Amino acid sequence: MSFATYFMHLVFSSIPSLLSSDWILYLLPALIVSILFFSLKIMFYKAPKLRIAK
């Protein structure tokens, strides 16, 4: 086993204890709302200025 694989095992071995079904119920709506907010912000406030067709 390489060093990178060993360290990945160390890092990701603690994640299943952090990811419970209750945690996902709070994370998904927050993620969806943030993606929607930033998408609308980009579409309406930072939209590129289009040139008028001649």
Side-chain angles (χ1 to χ4, degrees):
M1 183 177 352
S2 66
F3 284 113
T5 310
Y6 173 72
F7 285 117
M8 284 173 54
H9 278 286
L10 285 179
V11 169
F12 291 117
S13 64
S14 63
I15 287 180
S17 63
L18 295 175
L19 292 177
S20 64
S21 59
D22 295 336
W23 188 74
I24 292 173
L25 289 175
Y26 295 113
L27 178 69
L28 278 178
L31 187 65
I32 291 169
V33 167
S34 64
I35 289 172
L36 185 64
F37 173 73
F38 286 117
S39 299
L40 291 174
K41 183 179 172 186
I42 289 170
M43 284 192 291
F44 292 112
Y45 293 112
K46 294 184 179 181
K49 305 296 182 210
L50 301 176
R51 286 186 261 168
I52 300 173
K54 294 181 180 179

